[in-house]
Amino acid sequence: MKDRQALKLKIKKQLVWYSFIIVSIITLIVLTYIPMLTTIKYSFHDIQVLGFGEDKFIGFQNYEKIMNNSSFVKSIGNTFLLALMSLVSIPVGFILASLINNVGKGKWQSFFRVGYYFPNIITGVSVVLIFQVVLKANGGLLNNALSMLTGHEIAIGWLSDSHYSRFGATILSVWGSIGYSMLINLASLQSIPSEIYEAAEVDGANALKQWWYITIPQMTSCFAFLFITSIINGLARFSDLFIIGGNTSAGRPGGTLQTILMYIYQFSFESPQYGIASAGAMILFILTFVITLINLKMTGFFKKKEA
């Protein structure tokens, strides 16, 4: 009898605890797991219109079709190239964090922290509209600055010329993410115990040696985190490139800015072929999953810490 009462009491306590997360669990199931399973199903079917007609099972034909499609293969290359180019924000953020950290704690450090993080507050659409003015070929602020420095007129179409569009898109991406990179780097810098630097100074290590042998090794976990998150964000890049291309998924100019997500969007809304779009989404998921595992393995995330 006492065992039953104890069991009932235990179950009652468990239900109370689970009641706090039941909403989150239901939300995850309805908005994440069910759509994910549905996407897997659709990737093996020929679906032209959702909810109408019979879904025809075609196996891996959707995967074969898009992997043999030159536009999809090009979108994979564009996605990885833009993601890798956006990694410039990590070393730039580290340099800025180092400079801000040397200012010392106080109002000036707070001023620079807020100032460099401010671009992250601005919405994506606003950033694109701003940079369409900054990076335009004729009269753009960047071209005007380069013209003043070089002494002759420069009219590069940073967002309209297929030869330079990836560089323009990278400038936009780095400007938007550099504040976040700076803040994470600064937090990691300030978590390094000052005693290590004091001991190194006593041993005769100058500032350069302290930076190379203490700061850099202590920052490896921070760099790994920023690398993984930057790559994942790069693989999921869509909205700014969509607007740059004139609100189409073609990746203008010349398809140089079409990412995998834009290809998926094309066959989801512009030319509905939901089976192909679902197959593209699954390939993107697999690529992201594999790259994340490789990054975690390379950075020693799975290694057990020694006691």
Side-chain angles (χ1 to χ4, degrees):
M1 188 69 180
K2 290 182 179 180
D3 292 339
R4 285 185 179 181
Q5 289 180 347
L7 181 61
K8 287 181 180 180
L9 184 61
K10 185 178 180 180
I11 293 173
K12 187 177 180 180
K13 286 182 178 180
Q14 294 286 348
L15 289 175
V16 171
W17 296 336
Y18 281 115
S19 66
F20 289 102
I21 60 172
I22 190 66
V23 175
S24 299
I25 293 173
I26 293 173
T27 303
L28 278 173
I29 292 172
V30 174
L31 298 182
T32 301
Y33 298 123
I34 292 178
M36 184 176 176
L37 294 173
T38 304
T39 301
I40 296 172
K41 173 190 172 184
Y42 284 172
S43 68
F44 296 105
H45 289 75
D46 181 15
I47 303 172
Q48 301 294 330
V49 182
L50 290 175
F52 296 91
E54 185 178 353
D55 301 339
K56 182 182 177 182
F57 180 79
I58 58 174
F60 288 93
Q61 290 183 27
N62 287 325
Y63 291 93
E64 294 175 1
K65 189 179 294 184
I66 62 175
M67 290 307 296
N68 292 323
N69 186 289
S70 59
S71 296
F72 182 75
V73 174
K74 186 177 181 181
S75 72
I76 294 176
N78 291 336
T79 302
F80 279 98
L81 184 57
L82 289 169
L84 291 173
M85 292 173 72
S86 67
L87 294 177
V88 175
S89 63
I90 298 176
V92 175
F94 174 64
I95 293 170
L96 290 175
S98 299
L99 294 173
I100 294 172
N101 192 44
N102 289 332
V103 171
K105 295 181 180 180
K107 292 182 179 179
W108 280 112
Q109 187 178 114
S110 300
F111 171 78
F112 286 116
R113 280 207 313 261
V114 174
Y116 282 112
Y117 189 77
F118 185 75
N120 291 74
I121 303 173
I122 305 174
T123 58
V125 176
S126 302
V127 172
V128 175
L129 294 176
I130 292 169
F131 272 87
Q132 282 180 332
V133 176
V134 174
L135 300 176
K136 69 179 181 178
N138 298 314
L141 295 179
L142 180 57
N143 283 338
N144 288 343
L146 292 174
S147 299
M148 291 176 63
L149 290 172
T150 58
H152 61 272
E153 186 178 354
I154 293 178
I156 298 174
W158 295 101
L159 297 177
S160 58
D161 189 332
S162 59
H163 295 94
Y164 300 97
S165 57
R166 294 190 183 98
F167 294 101
T170 301
I171 292 171
L172 190 155
S173 173
V174 170
W175 185 86
S177 60
I178 197 171
Y180 175 78
S181 176
M182 177 275 301
L183 205 61
I184 299 298
N185 275 296
L186 182 61
S188 185
L189 279 171
Q190 294 180 345
S191 67
I192 301 174
S194 59
E195 292 82 2
I196 300 177
Y197 291 104
E198 292 172 359
E201 191 173 351
V202 170
D203 291 337
N206 56 29
L208 181 60
K209 288 184 176 180
Q210 290 179 30
W211 180 78
W212 184 256
Y213 291 106
I214 298 176
T215 305
I216 298 297
Q218 292 287 329
M219 293 287 292
T220 51
S221 59
C222 174
F223 294 152
F225 169 77
L226 288 172
F227 181 83
I228 293 170
T229 54
S230 297
I231 288 293
I232 292 174
N233 290 334
L235 294 176
R237 196 169 175 187
F238 174 79
S239 58
D240 57 339
L241 303 179
F242 183 78
I243 298 170
I244 290 171
N247 296 327
T248 67
S249 62
R252 296 172 184 168
T256 55
L257 298 181
Q258 186 182 48
T259 60
I260 301 176
L261 268 182
M262 293 175 72
Y263 186 90
I264 295 170
Y265 179 90
Q266 179 182 352
F267 287 99
S268 297
F269 299 99
E270 295 178 352
S271 305
Q273 295 184 45
Y274 298 106
I276 291 178
S278 298
M282 292 310 304
I283 290 174
L284 177 60
F285 169 77
I286 293 169
L287 288 173
T288 305
F289 183 76
V290 170
I291 291 170
T292 302
L293 281 181
I294 293 172
N295 290 334
L296 292 174
K297 181 70 175 177
M298 291 176 64
T299 53
F301 182 82
F302 294 114
K303 293 181 180 178
K304 294 182 179 180
K305 292 183 177 180
E306 296 181 2

